Amino acid sequence: MDLPDYAIEAKGLFKTYAATKTTPEMQALKGIDLAIPRGSIFGLLGPNGAGKSTFINILSGLCRKTSGSVSIWGRDIDERPRDARAAIGVVPQEIAADPFFTPFEALEVAAGMYAVPKSERRTMELLTALGLADKSKAYVRQLSGGMKRRLMVAKAMVHNPPVLILDEPTAGVDVELRRQLWAYVVELNRKGVTIVLTTHYLEEAQELCDQIAIINRGQVVACEPTTTLLARMDTRKVLVTPEEPQTTAPVLKGFETLLLPSGGFSVSYRTGQSSVEQVLAAIRSAGLHIKDISTEDPDLEDVFVSLTYAAPEPVGA
Ligand code: ADP
């Protein structure tokens, strides 16, 4: 069979949660179009409540879409739900592991649920790949948080899916374990597994993902290769230490300013529209004396803020 161009393709995807006695109707997804290229490490970024989990839950079958179409590995989730779901492994946000199983047993049970024949199971291989081989016979309750998290990744991979989805995988995981987890994810990707990662760790997405979609209030506000997204961002920041520490951000004509904890402040400007020279002139004409300045390149945080800031929440929405 020909391999699909896109690991996941969503078109005009809507999800409305019905009103309950205590909550009004909620339009969580408002026409999502997303095409996730096969072989990529794809970042799905967005603030809390953006709709990321709703999207993932529709893919995994936990949540029913209201309208639109979704295919996973070229298989439509309405027409071929079982085949579509067999193509993804999902690592959920929450650690949900049975404390009375050993990691070895937990993987065997998971493989059984996916009806993977005994001869095709890769239980020890997965445990080894995730650094859990020496814990294969320990009880899950004896594992550290990071080990449990890695076990969740192994469980999501028992049926050898071509697409792995990690939902906020590093929340509460320390730096060292994060690095280990990423090393394995990158390794899987090298072997051809498409990775979809939801996160609000912007620097992580920036580092790992070759393409990023930003979701805000149920809509895709940007979807491009990471480098294009960063290049598109022409906002620069000047960090200013004034002679006199400030208690409020100074008002500078034509520029956005932000007070820093040090008593200094930052000034943002757009390279196409103004220059550092003009920033300095505005500071001087506000009667401030500069002790020191430095500049900062934009990171995804800036891109994110500028994209999501562009569409303020309508009053009463
Ligand atoms: P994210 O994962 O980006 O934080 P979610 O998909 O969890 O966003 O939520 C999107 C919106 O849908 C939020 O406003 C949230 O409150 C709402 N929502 C999520 N799940 C439900 C549910 N089961 N019932 C009603 N509203 C929900």
Side-chain angles (χ1 to χ4, degrees), residues 209-225:
C209 301
D210 30 48
Q211 193 157 345
I212 289 176
I214 298 180
I215 297 195
N216 192 37
R217 298 192 194 105
Q219 287 175 317
V220 176
V221 293
C223 179
E224 3 196 331

Side-chain angles (χ1 to χ4, degrees), residues 17-18 23 26-29 46-55 93 167:
Y17 290 107
T23 55
M26 176 68 215
Q27 255 203 335
L29 301 181
N48 274 337
K52 303 180 298 294
S53 300
T54 300
F55 181 68
Q93 261 174 35
D167 196 4

